[in-house]
């Protein structure tokens, strides 16, 4: 059986920086509240007319990852695209990437697992590599949140958190037994699907119904989040799934060289850091600059950590995510 390794990483974020003060001009919020509750100082938003979309940003990140993997588009056997904000309701973003990158008719698979989308995608890629079916897989996490947020005071508990961006990784076949993706661990609990969701347009809330009802409150085409409930579940599940991954590999928290948590909220990352008694230099956070970019947050953070020289050959890197679904997961990687 083969092993899979990350052979290239890249990310792209739109140039347009939106600070907390910028948001306070659109809704009743303030820099102090946002920083204290989330750690976020600013985020990136696509600007109308800048040419970006979820797929376009994904392509920009993917091209960097490919170049760093020293591969070309012709070497890629499969595209896996994770997002909750596809350009179109259907088809998904994977086929758009295949077209925009002018790739041959390779398969394109879309993953709908929100904040856990990248870890789920990595796990799928890992299985295809291990069985020998594919050699190189392009995994992309990309989100265009800004186009779909309620930027009024009504939506402030959600809108201040999310940002736009994309991250990509090339997953390649490796012959090494002790390096690469050691294991991945995935979970879901659909009983809490509505606690962090966007209900319409969907077949439950279809367009004619939305137009007819046009409710003033709880508009189903804006995301809804039961923040405190999500927070409480997140801290438990993050810890559980990191422990599960460590135990599966006979490792302990002291073996972790770098933890890359999904950037949900700085307070969640700090809580997890404390639980595992990790030094500051063993956890990477960049939510301060980008907000929560959902499926893109782990590949963006992983790329930045790697670019800054914080991930070295032989390091034990742990990825962990939790989000809407609820879904959660971890990946244990020997770099
Ligand atoms: O990535 C997927 C997973 N997502 C998460 O893990 C997010 C988890 N949840 C959270 O991060 C936090 O729950 C939030 C950051 C969303 C909210 O923080 P909180 O400490 O749970 O605040 P809260 O929702 O309990 O709201 C506290 C107060 C409320 O006012 P009252 O009722 O106490 O008067 C809110 O109306 O803060 C108010 N509030 C705001 N005030 C200023 C809510 N949003 C804002 C805002 N600016 N943007």
């Amino acid at each position: 059986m083969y092993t899979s390794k990350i052979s290239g990483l890249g990310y792209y974020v739109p140039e347009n920086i939106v600070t907390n003060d910028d948001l306070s001009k659109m809704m009743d919020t303030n820099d102090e509240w946002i920083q204290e509750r989330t750690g976020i100082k600013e985020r990136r938003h696509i600007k109308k007319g800048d040419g970006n979309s979820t797929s376009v940003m994904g392509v920009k990140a993917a091209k960097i990852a490919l170049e760093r993997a020293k591969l070309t588009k012709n070497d890629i056997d499969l595209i896996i695209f994770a997002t909750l904000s596809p350009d179109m309701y259907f088809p998904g973003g994977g086929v758009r990437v295949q077209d925009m990158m002018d790739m041959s008719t390779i398969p394109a698979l879309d993953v709908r697992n929100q904040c856990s989308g990248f870890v789920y995608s990595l796990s799928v890629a890992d299985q295809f590599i291990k069985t020998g079916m594919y050699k190189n897989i392009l995994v992309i996490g990309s989100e265009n949140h800004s186009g779909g947020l309620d930027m009024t005071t009504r939506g402030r508990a959600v809108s201040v958190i999310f940002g736009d961006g994309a991250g990509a990784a090339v997953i390649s076949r490796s012959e090494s037994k002790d390096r690469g993706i050691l294991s991945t661990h995935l979970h879901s609990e659909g009983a809490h699907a509505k606690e962090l969701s966007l209900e319409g347009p969907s077949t439950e809330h279809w367009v004619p119904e939305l137009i007819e009802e046009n409710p003033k409150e709880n508009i189903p085409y804006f995301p809804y989040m039961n923040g405190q409930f999500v927070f409480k579940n997140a801290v438990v599940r993050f810890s559980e799934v990191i422990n599960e991954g460590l135990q599966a590999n006979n490792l302990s928290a002291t073996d972790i060289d770098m933890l890359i948590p999904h950037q949900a909220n700085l307070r969640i990352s700090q809580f997890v850091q404390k639980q595992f008694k990790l030094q500051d230099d063993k956890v990477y956070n960049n939510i301060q600059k980008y907000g929560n970019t959902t499926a893109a947050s782990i590949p963006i953070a992983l790329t930045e950590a790697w670019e800054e020289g914080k991930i070295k050959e032989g390091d034990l890197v742990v990825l962990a995510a939790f989000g809407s679904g609820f879904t959660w997961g971890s990946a244990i990687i020997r770099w």
Side-chain angles (χ1 to χ4, degrees):
M1 205 161 71
Y2 300 105
T3 310
S4 42
K5 63 170 184 186
I6 295 180
S7 58
L9 286 166
Y11 79 93
Y12 171 83
V13 289
E15 280 172 23
N16 179 34
I17 296 172
V18 177
T19 64
N20 294 340
D21 286 338
D22 291 333
L23 291 179
S24 70
K25 289 173 195 134
M26 299 175 222
M27 60 186 83
D28 181 12
T29 190
N30 57 77
D31 181 53
E32 196 190 346
W33 190 96
I34 300 173
Q35 284 211 48
E36 200 178 291
R37 306 281 176 138
T38 70
I40 300 166
K41 295 183 176 166
E42 57 190 42
R43 74 286 294 141
R44 305 296 177 100
H45 282 179
I46 289 177
K47 219 174 182 168
K48 235 188 169 132
D50 72 3
N52 279 313
S53 73
T54 301
S55 307
V56 169
M57 291 191 296
V59 166
K60 289 177 182 175
K63 285 185 174 168
I64 298 167
L66 261 181
E67 202 185 316
R68 288 175 172 169
K70 299 189 174 58
L71 296 173
T72 73
K73 61 184 170 112
N74 301 326
D75 297 310
I76 296 297
D77 305 308
L78 167 69
I79 302 160
I80 305 180
F81 196 95
T83 191
L84 63 69
S85 50
D87 296 349
M88 295 186 274
Y89 187 78
F90 72 83
V95 294
R96 304 207 89 199
V97 170
Q98 181 271 338
D99 177 43
M100 285 181 212
M101 290 183 69
D102 194 23
M103 295 164 118
S104 64
T105 58
I106 56 168
L109 177 71
D110 282 77
V111 167
R112 295 273 317 261
N113 286 82
Q114 299 67 249
C115 301
S116 312
F118 184 78
V119 172
Y120 265 75
S121 301
L122 200 66
S123 181
V124 174
D126 185 35
Q127 311 316 311
F128 275 122
I129 300 269
K130 275 186 178 145
T131 59
M133 182 155 172
Y134 296 130
K135 268 191 186 166
N136 296 298
I137 299 175
L138 178 58
V139 173
I140 299 171
S142 183
E143 303 288 359
N144 168 7
H145 283 302
S146 62
L149 295 171
D150 180 356
M151 300 301 274
T152 69
T153 298
R154 183 184 52 206
R156 66 182 179 174
V158 175
S159 303
V160 301
I161 296 169
F162 293 99
D164 301 340
V170 179
I171 316 302
S172 299
R173 179 188 287 182
S174 156
E175 307 285 337
S176 167
K177 291 261 177 298
D178 50 3
R179 290 277 176 92
I181 299 173
L182 303 182
S183 64
T184 54
H185 308 269
L186 308 176
H187 295 276
S188 75
E189 190 174 21
H192 304 313
K194 295 210 170 176
E195 305 297 343
L196 176 46
S197 59
L198 192 156
E199 290 196 39
S202 64
T203 48
E204 271 187 27
H205 296 276
W206 204 233
V207 179
E209 176 200 336
L210 295 178
I211 293 169
E212 196 181 313
E213 290 185 1
N214 190 24
K216 293 274 179 288
E217 300 297 328
N218 298 326
I219 295 180
Y221 46 85
F222 287 128
Y224 165 77
M225 178 164 71
N226 181 350
Q228 291 195 1
F229 186 76
V230 174
F231 193 105
K232 283 177 195 151
N233 277 266
V235 291
V236 172
R237 297 307 192 185
F238 264 110
S239 301
E240 267 179 22
V241 82
I242 292 168
N243 266 326
E244 183 183 346
L246 290 172
Q247 279 165 20
N249 293 284
N250 291 321
L251 296 165
S252 67
T254 52
D255 295 309
I256 298 175
D257 294 301
M258 182 55 75
L259 169 66
I260 313 263
H262 159 56
Q263 300 292 289
N265 181 322
L266 190 60
R267 285 191 293 141
I268 293 178
S269 293
Q270 288 167 341
F271 188 94
V272 175
Q273 176 179 351
K274 232 183 189 170
Q275 275 206 321
F276 287 93
K277 298 191 176 65
L278 299 173
Q279 309 271 341
D280 286 350
D281 63 349
K282 298 210 183 284
V283 184
Y284 194 84
N285 290 302
N286 60 8
I287 191 169
Q288 302 90 331
K289 293 189 288 182
Y290 303 130
N292 177 340
T293 57
T294 310
S297 95
I298 289 181
I300 294 175
L302 184 61
T303 306
E304 277 202 343
W306 174 80
E307 284 175 353
E308 291 168 19
K310 291 178 174 157
I311 297 175
K312 294 174 284 304
E313 291 259 314
D315 277 357
L316 188 79
V317 179
V318 175
L319 314 181
F322 174 88
S324 161
F326 292 152
T327 57
W328 61 101
S330 65
I332 313 293
I333 304 169
R334 180 68 69 188
W335 208 260

